Amino acid sequence: MESIWSQLCHIPQRPPLPGGLHTEVAVIGAGLAGILTAFALQQAGHRVVVLEARRIASGQSRNTTAKVTSQHGLLYDRLIRRLGEDKAGQYAQANQRALEAYRQLIAAQGIRCDWQECPAYVYGSRAEPLQAEADAAARLGLPASFVQQVPLPFPTAGAVLFAHQAQCNPLLLLRALAEPLTIYEQTPVQHVEGGRLETPRGTVQAEHIVFACHFPFVDLPGAFFSRMHQERSYVLALEGAAPLAGMLIGSGEDSYSFRSYGDLLLLGGGAHRAGRNPQGGRYDLLRQKAREWFPGSREVACWSAQDCITPDSVPYIGRYAADRPHWYVATGFQKWGMTHSMAAAQLLTGLIGGKEPPYASLFAPSRPALSALPGLAAEGGQAVRGLAKRFLQIPAESAQSIPPGHGGAVLLEGEKVGVYKAEDGSLYPVDLRCPHLGCQLEWNPDERSWDCPCHGSRFDRFGRLLSGPAMEDICHG
Ligand code: FES
C-alpha cells in the first residue's frame, strides 16, 4: 500500500555510515522534520550529519497529504481559552511563518515540488463553532473568515476559510532538500549517551543531537511515552472525481479530508487510536464515501499514516530534557506535520545557534502537561508476560478460528501468542508483548499489521518492526 508520492518520486539511495565520526550536529531521522532541520542548520553554517534507520522519507513523510497550512482543524478558539491569546498567537504565527518560509525556500532553491497556492477549509454541520473559530483565528492575525459556500458535493453548515495556503508533493520537496546533505541510510541509532550515538555501523560523536524520528525512542529522560499517543488515518487516491477548489477537512470526530493533486482527489478519514482497530473496514468506509460523493471515480492507490498526538494539541519542539541541554526533539505534530516540521527547523536552528526564539517556551517539551495521558502505569495493565523469543511451532488446530490473510491470538503453553495465517495456511507466530514497554499488541486488519495501543509501535504481519518507539522485531523463529 504505497502512497501516490512513493509511486511518483524516487529518492536516490545513500550509503550507510562508513564507521565512526565526529560532527557538530547529528540529526536522527531523515523525514521532513529531520531534513528541514539539517538543511536550515547547514545553511546557518553548522556541520551536520543525518542518521536514518532505513531510507530517506521511509516513515510518515511519504504518507502525509501535504497540506501546508496554519489551519489545524478547529484549534484557535480552544487554544485561546486554554493558553490565552498570547500563546495562541505564538502558535498561529509560528505556523503562518512556516508557510511563508516554505515559499521563500522553494523560490530561493528553485525547487519543483508541485507547489500550489489554494485556500484551506474546515467544514462542519453546525455554524456556531465554525464562526467562533473564524473569529478567534482572525483575532490572532490569521487570514480567516467564515463562509457559507463550501466546495464539497454534500451539504454543510459552512466552513472556516483560510486564504493563501498551499499544498505540494512532499517527496519532491524532500528529495531536493536532501541533495546537499550528508545522510547515512540503513544506520539505526540504538543507544545515545551524552554526545555518543551508537549504531551497528559505528559510533558518532556530536556536540548537539536532534531527535527527529517521529516518536523519540529514548524513554528516560523525557518520558514522551507517558504524554503522547499515536493515531492512524487512511487515504484513497481517486481518479475521475472532479477536482476541488481547495483543501478541506471536517470538524467532527469522524471527519474526512480532501485535497486534489493534478487529476487525482485524495480522500482521507477513518482515524482511530493506533492499536484500536479490531474490526477493520476503514478503507471500505472510504470506498463507500467515494461511491456516494464521487460516483464514477476509480481508486488508484490507498495508504495510511500515523501521527503523534499531545494532550494540549501543541507539539514538543525544543530541548529533550533539562538534564540533556544538547539534546533536542521535534515530535507530536498532531496531523499537521508540514508547517510544524518547518517551525521545528526554525526553532531548533535558533536554539543550537544560541538564539532562543521568543515562542520557544510555548513548544518546550518540559512545559507542564495539561492532562496526563494514560502512561506506563495505566497501560501496563494490558501487558502480557509473553513467551521467550524462540522458534515456536503453532498447531494448525489452535489457529482454526483465524481466517487466511488475518492475524489473531492463540493460547500456547497457557500463554497468548500472536499468529498471522498466510493465504496458503502457513502460520507466523509473533510475541504479543510490545518490546517497548510491554503492552499487548493488537491485529489491525486494514493494514495487516500488529499495532500497539499504548504508544503506537507497529510491526508487519510477520513481526518485523515498522515504526517505534519500539526498537526490535517481535518474530518468533
Ligand atoms: Fe510503548 Fe508498545 S508499549 S509502543
Side-chain angles (χ1 to χ4, degrees), residues 207-209 221 318-328 351-352:
E207 291 165 37
H208 303 274
I209 298 170
R319 292 203 165 78
Y320 203 99
D323 59 353
R324 299 289 192 282
H326 301 296
W327 289 15
Y328 309 83
L351 286 180
I352 290 170

Side-chain angles (χ1 to χ4, degrees), residues 257-271:
S257 155
F258 308 80
R259 71 156 279 192
S260 298
Y261 180 67
D263 295 342
L264 300 178
L265 177 73
L266 310 190
L267 168 62

Side-chain angles (χ1 to χ4, degrees), residues 390-396 398 412-413 427 429 476:
R390 58 189 161 85
F391 184 78
L392 284 184
Q393 200 81 42
I394 305 287
S398 63
L412 191 73
E413 299 171 23
L427 300 177
H476 273 287

Side-chain angles (χ1 to χ4, degrees), residues 88-109:
Q90 288 175 1
Y91 180 106
Q93 292 312 320
N95 281 282
Q96 189 64 23
R97 270 199 307 274
L99 168 60
E100 189 49 40
Y102 273 114
R103 289 191 182 106
Q104 289 173 7
L105 180 65
I106 286 165
Q109 302 295 321

Side-chain angles (χ1 to χ4, degrees), residues 1-4 7 234-241 263-268 281-292 294-304 446-447:
M1 297 193 190
E2 272 199 320
S3 71
I4 48 165
Q7 295 175 25
Y234 300 78
V235 184
L236 299 185
L238 303 172
E239 211 173 49
D263 295 342
L264 300 178
L265 177 73
L266 310 190
L267 168 62
R282 309 285 167 162
Y283 287 120
D284 290 342
L285 174 72
L286 289 176
R287 287 171 187 134
Q288 182 195 318
K289 292 295 179 189
R291 284 193 294 275
E292 183 184 329
F294 308 104
S297 63
R298 193 175 71 82
E299 178 183 327
V300 295
C302 67
W303 69 93
S304 63
D446 284 314
E447 290 299 323

Side-chain angles (χ1 to χ4, degrees), residues 434 436-439 441 452 454-457 469-470:
C434 178
H436 178 225
L437 292 173
C439 292
L441 300 169
C452 180
C454 288
H455 318 111
S457 291

Side-chain angles (χ1 to χ4, degrees), residues 98-433:
L99 168 60
E100 189 49 40
Y102 273 114
R103 289 191 182 106
Q104 289 173 7
L105 180 65
I106 286 165
Q109 302 295 321
I111 296 172
R112 297 171 67 166
C113 60
D114 295 333
W115 181 269
Q116 189 189 2
E117 300 279 330
C118 61
Y121 298 84
V122 186
Y123 68 88
S125 55
R126 286 178 50 238
E128 198 181 297
L130 302 170
Q131 185 80 61
E133 176 70 5
D135 292 348
R139 220 159 66 230
L140 299 175
L142 295 169
S145 57
F146 173 76
V147 293
Q148 275 169 332
Q149 297 301 319
V150 184
L152 280 172
F154 53 84
T156 69
V160 184
L161 163 71
F162 275 34
H164 312 303
Q165 308 293 298
Q167 56 191 14
C168 69
N169 176 326
L171 291 195
L172 291 177
L173 173 64
L174 216 145
R175 181 172 69 183
L177 293 171
E179 212 197 310
L181 300 176
T182 305
I183 303 171
Y184 297 111
E185 292 187 331
Q186 308 296 349
T187 304
V189 176
Q190 294 171 320
H191 186 67
V192 187
E193 192 70 55
R196 267 172 77 85
L197 301 99
E198 286 169 17
T199 85
R201 313 282 187 172
T203 298
V204 173
Q205 191 72 40
E207 291 165 37
H208 303 274
I209 298 170
V210 176
F211 290 77
C213 45
H214 185 65
F215 199 116
F217 57 85
V218 174
D219 285 331
L220 293 172
F224 291 98
F225 64 84
S226 69
R227 47 205 181 106
M228 204 162 65
H229 72 282
Q230 300 203 56
E231 285 189 8
R232 287 199 79 65
S233 51
Y234 300 78
V235 184
L236 299 185
L238 303 172
E239 211 173 49
L244 297 176
M247 311 173 283
L248 301 105
I249 193 160
S251 60
E253 286 247 307
D254 300 321
S255 72
Y256 295 90
S257 155
F258 308 80
R259 71 156 279 192
S260 298
Y261 180 67
D263 295 342
L264 300 178
L265 177 73
L266 310 190
L267 168 62
H272 62 85
R273 181 168 170 146
R276 302 245 167 97
N277 186 30
Q279 305 306 325
R282 309 285 167 162
Y283 287 120
D284 290 342
L285 174 72
L286 289 176
R287 287 171 187 134
Q288 182 195 318
K289 292 295 179 189
R291 284 193 294 275
E292 183 184 329
W293 294 331
F294 308 104
S297 63
R298 193 175 71 82
E299 178 183 327
V300 295
C302 67
W303 69 93
S304 63
Q306 190 151 306
D307 297 288
C308 294
I309 310 292
T310 64
D312 61 3
S313 307
V314 178
Y316 299 124
I317 305 169
R319 292 203 165 78
Y320 203 99
D323 59 353
R324 299 289 192 282
H326 301 296
W327 289 15
Y328 309 83
V329 65
T331 188
F333 293 169
Q334 315 293 109
K335 305 197 174 191
W336 305 104
M338 294 301 296
T339 54
H340 281 323
S341 290
M342 179 60 92
Q346 295 178 326
L347 203 165
L348 297 182
T349 301
L351 286 180
I352 290 170
K355 290 185 221 112
E356 184 157 324
Y359 54 93
S361 66
L362 167 70
F363 294 103
S366 58
R367 67 184 181 268
L370 279 183
S371 58
L373 283 171
L376 178 58
E379 304 283 9
Q382 300 186 39
V384 292
R385 186 154 55 92
L387 294 164
K389 259 192 215 156
R390 58 189 161 85
F391 184 78
L392 284 184
Q393 200 81 42
I394 305 287
E397 56 278 14
S398 63
Q400 252 168 4
S401 61
I402 302 175
H406 283 264
V410 300
L411 272 181
L412 191 73
E413 299 171 23
E415 289 194 27
K416 266 186 181 175
V417 177
V419 178
Y420 167 67
K421 187 190 277 184
E423 306 292 347
D424 66 358
S426 320
L427 300 177
Y428 296 87
V430 301
D431 191 347
L432 274 182
R433 178 189 54 181

